[in-house]
Amino acid sequence: MNLDNLYQEVILDHYKNPLNKTLSENFDVQVHHINPSCGDEITLNLTLDGQTIKEITWDGVGCSISQASVSIASDLLMGKSLSEVESISEEFIELMQSKGKKTGDEAVLEDAVALAGVSQYPARIKCALLGWMAIKDATLQAVEKR
Amino acid sequence: MNLDNLYQEVILDHYKNPLNKTLSENFDVQVHHINPSCGDEITLNLTLDGQTIKEITWDGVGCSISQASVSIASDLLMGKSLSEVESISEEFIELMQSKGKKTGDEAVLEDAVALAGVSQYPARIKCALLGWMAIKDATLQAVEKR
Amino acid sequence: MSFNPLTVRDDFPIFNRTIRDGKRLVYLDSGATSQKPQVVIDSELDFYRLHNAAVHRGAHQLAEEATDLFEGARSKLAEFLGAETDEVIFTKGATESLNLIAYAMGNSPRGNRFHIAEGDRIVLTEMEHHANLIPWQQLAARTGAELIWFNVTADGRLDLSQISELITSKTKVVALTHQSNVLGTINPLDEIVNAAHAVGAVVVLDACQSVPHMKVDVKELGVDFLAFSGHKALGPTGVGIMWSKRELLAELPPFLTGGSMIADVTMTTATWAKAPAKFEAGVPNMAQAVGLGVAIDYLSAIGMTEIAAHEHALTSDLLGKLLEHKEIRVVGPHTMDNRGGALSFTVADIHPHDLGQFLDSQGIAVRTGHHCAWPLTRSLGVPATTRASLYLYNSIEDNDALISGIHSAMKYFGK
Amino acid sequence: MSFNPLTVRDDFPIFNRTIRDGKRLVYLDSGATSQKPQVVIDSELDFYRLHNAAVHRGAHQLAEEATDLFEGARSKLAEFLGAETDEVIFTKGATESLNLIAYAMGNSPRGNRFHIAEGDRIVLTEMEHHANLIPWQQLAARTGAELIWFNVTADGRLDLSQISELITSKTKVVALTHQSNVLGTINPLDEIVNAAHAVGAVVVLDACQSVPHMKVDVKELGVDFLAFSGHKALGPTGVGIMWSKRELLAELPPFLTGGSMIADVTMTTATWAKAPAKFEAGVPNMAQAVGLGVAIDYLSAIGMTEIAAHEHALTSDLLGKLLEHKEIRVVGPHTMDNRGGALSFTVADIHPHDLGQFLDSQGIAVRTGHHCAWPLTRSLGVPATTRASLYLYNSIEDNDALISGIHSAMKYFGK
Ligand SMILES: Cc1ncc(COP(=O)(O)O)c(C=O)c1O
Ligand SMILES: Cc1ncc(COP(=O)(O)O)c(C=O)c1O
């Protein structure tokens, strides 16, 4: 097992230069998620436009995996329809649980395939999922709110 | 280890024909002791006369060891001075804790030396001590009462 | 019997030793604790030797492996019980599991479905083990709730005739044993579960004497909580299970608090993780949980149906042989329907403690006393009994050793 | 150093394995859990293989032997701690021990010296592990008592300046850790114990990080309750100790209720056995208690003073090496007085989780995160740190491996 599988260039890039890491002033829903096992925290704002996610912005502290993952997810899922968001998220979760057996479909997951290596480090899966779970939660709340 | 060391003739005799096993009507103190690990129970009446135990009577249910031991103790300690009772009881407790290494001084313990074998069966020591503990408790209470 | 208990016995190293100067070990005390197969012992050993680390807490390889093994054991237990993985809580034993349920209910604030207060009722049975009696007495005392119970008939069955007086709209909890550790009685659950659910009460099942001996599927039973101890099911000491439904665990407040069970903590407040973590504060009994998983594998490989059939045949044989003697009084059902392999009896007026001691001198291990069900033995008029309890490694020759031991004891004590 | 850690390491089978494709195991996570010497593993194995039976419950030979071993372990623990035998309670771990104390106090009726009510105060410190924080939060919430605490200074020491405002006639309990699992700080007890006793309060000591590492004598310390976990002291998982004084245990109500802890039981009432039985409901974690006894023997044979000296030297070495680097921030005392071998630090702005992962790839096991002391790490402005914690099997080469691992990590993450 090579550490470079975990810390791919793409991940370190997102970690250093995270996307959408400025909380927007306006939003439909704001959520705050914590990873209690390591103390990582994230605040995430989400706005819907009809059946589409219009905007995701966030702020937080955490390891490279959790920060890169939310950066990638916010970029990937913004502008997608709710059903696309659901299927992409499911595919990502499956990738995370694959114990190194899947590489991920780049056509669907784009940069998120770089996180494939995480699935070989069970303690890190929660890091990679933190942002995705926040987005899922925020989306559900936003839909409910209407 | 031979079971006959535990169940000596003297013990089985006391078990079949227990001494002082009729509760007296008058007493200074009545105590009720239980061995919670096996459910044995004993009620014991005790009367002092100055510095001497005047009367011990009892009733109860229990195994041969507990029944024989209280029968022997009631007989042995009745009529003895409080300080004699204390030293005899201490000697008996030491015998019980001797893990088979002591045989007991017959001049002091009389029939109670027949219980020496109990010390090799740790689970039975509590049975043998049930009556002695009741007498000790009753004596203390009787002294306090004055 | 579709397996050979003598072959099974080879898996249990303790049967290689002898008792009291060379006697064969006739172990008839599995109701107190079971013996352990080598694979279970080895699994604890391997955990310490190869994978020991604090689970859920480290990013290093040992911690990953330990977590995998620990959570793997949870999955095994869940499958074995027909439960969801996150419904299985590791405790130190059934006693803790039952206290957990009672204390957590006591911690439930007003408005919570488990909140118990004056006017509420907690329903037990007269045949409960102290572990499923005293925690409820204490909860009743703390909350002002009323404690009432099903009586036991002279032949050792639950008296259901008063069910509609006992289980009413006031009833919040019905806690009972699946199989009596004294009588061997297997209690009928359907009627009780239906009555309880009809009034919105939950059913807590003490499965200490059933899970090790028969197929138990929590969904089929329909109960709401279930508790048992690993050490009675071929597992290590120091581990037990508390199971409940996901939606109930979500509502139930935690019991033990501390590390690894929180969502967030400040100096004055704390919020909880989801089950199972919510109920597993602290570094868990990891090696023991892993060992219990292996015990479950071992039982499953033989088959719970086969084990139950084996014990049924053995119990039937022993019950018949005990009932042949008019000096022997069997306390508990004399018939084999809904009856497991715990057989309590008295022999003439030989005190059980003396009988047990004599049997021990023959290498035969039984238990004597009130078996931690004192109210039951008192109500049956037998403050103490001798109990033989059977398991998969017992055989007809063990039964015969017991019967011949009883004969010799009667001679020895002059009866 | 009067013993050779490399020889000691031979006693611990886990050091024969390698990490991540052949790397030597550099285990710096003993603060989470310690590794186990072969003798401890063997003692559990032998219990199951030769003596397994339910203690205190049977009149047969196995039960006698099991009871002897179990009670023998209790005596060893008592001697080790300078306590009386019947003052030593076996629990499943420190978390249960601390919950036991808090819940039992919560069970104390009015008139009992442990009764806690509105107006009373519970005093903690800001450096407590969640296990010595949340149970008290919950007790305060249930009783209406006030929860207050000692602050921690910037250099990781207890700020005693407010002692007279904190410990007043309203104070019933002062609960604190002996050694911080994050900072390594060893707390001064004399002043706190004297202040508490002067107002009639009891002192509860969380000794998880002290008992395994230095000579702890309960009489000398003068505290009233003490808790620790076996698994951090070379012992098995699933066993811990709660100690208190005989006269306090006599007055403290029980916590877990069930079998083997009673004097008498009816359907509606129960009275309690004397300590230790009163606090040990159910079939205990027998094999684990026995294993802990053997761990204590092992520690005593090497000598707690020698172990403390060894750790002091190692800690001093590592602290010095860490402080040399301006990119490394050590959280906790930078001097060696009253300082144990838990070293928490951050490295540049590499997240501890990433640093830990990198070190793991080199075979180095550390812990990262808030170490179950979240209020502390938050108040120090470091939501997460990396922690190396040292024990008797560590050596200077382990320290050097860590330092060189940190260098490589800085290169890897481009710092
Ligand atoms: C200071 C301190 N207190 C309490 C605990 C809790 O111990 P356990 O999780 O073994 O119950 C720990 C360890 O996790 C600790 O380091
Ligand atoms: C029916 C029943 N319930 C509860 C218990 C308590 O189990 P443990 O002592 O393992 O916690 C036992 C066994 O002792 C039992 O037989």
Side-chain angles (χ1 to χ4, degrees), chain C residues 97-177:
Chain C
S97 301
L98 293 163
N99 275 275
L100 186 171
I101 303 166
Y103 269 107
M105 288 183 179
N107 288 342
S108 300
R110 210 157 309 182
N112 183 298
R113 70 168 287 171
F114 296 112
H115 182 67
I116 291 185
E118 213 176 314
D120 291 332
R121 283 175 154 194
I122 298 167
V123 178
L124 307 176
T125 87
E126 209 180 18
M127 64 168 85
E128 295 315 308
H129 187 282
H130 295 165
N132 198 30
L133 166 61
I134 312 181
W136 302 112
Q137 285 182 0
Q138 295 299 307
L139 179 62
R142 280 198 299 273
T143 57
E146 190 192 359
L147 197 79
I148 50 177
W149 55 89
F150 287 97
N151 288 323
V152 171
T153 63
D155 58 340
R157 303 281 181 183
L158 224 48
D159 177 2
L160 290 184
S161 65
Q162 296 198 296
I163 188 165
S164 54
E165 283 104 277
L166 291 168
I167 303 181
T168 69
S169 60
K170 292 179 174 178
T171 305
K172 289 307 255 319
V173 185
V174 182
L176 82 166
T177 191

Side-chain angles (χ1 to χ4, degrees), chain D residues 278-302:
Chain D
K278 179 181 177 183
F279 299 99
E280 291 181 358
V283 173
N285 41 4
M286 305 174 290
Q288 293 73 44
V290 171
L292 180 54
V294 173
I296 293 308
D297 284 344
Y298 182 91
L299 288 170
S300 301
I302 294 182

Side-chain angles (χ1 to χ4, degrees), chain C residues 31 93-95 129 131 177 179 181 206 208-209 229 231-232, chain D residues 57 282-283:
Chain C
T95 299
H129 187 282
T177 191
Q179 174 174 327
N181 64 312
D206 175 354
C208 277
Q209 300 290 345
S229 283
H231 69 89
K232 295 187 205 269
Chain D
R57 295 195 177 195
V283 173

Side-chain angles (χ1 to χ4, degrees), chain A residues 23 26 58 67 125 128 130 132 141:
Chain A
L23 286 172
N26 301 314
W58 62 280
Q67 299 278 294
I125 297 173
L130 182 64
W132 295 73
Q141 286 189 36

Side-chain angles (χ1 to χ4, degrees), chain A residues 1 3-4 6-7 12 15 34 36 38-41 62-64 121 124 127, chain D residues 20-21 349 351 353-354 357-358 360-361 368-370 374 378 383-384 412-413:
Chain A
M1 219 139 51
L3 203 63
D4 296 343
L6 183 63
Y7 292 113
L12 297 176
Y15 181 44
I34 300 186
C38 59
D40 287 2
E41 306 195 25
C63 64
S64 60
Y121 295 88
R124 305 307 293 278
C127 309
Chain D
R20 303 281 183 217
D21 312 323
D349 61 352
H351 191 278
H353 225 152
D354 294 319
Q357 195 77 60
F358 182 87
D360 170 54
S361 75
T368 64
H370 52 59
W374 215 344
R378 276 179 173 151
Y412 189 84
F413 292 109

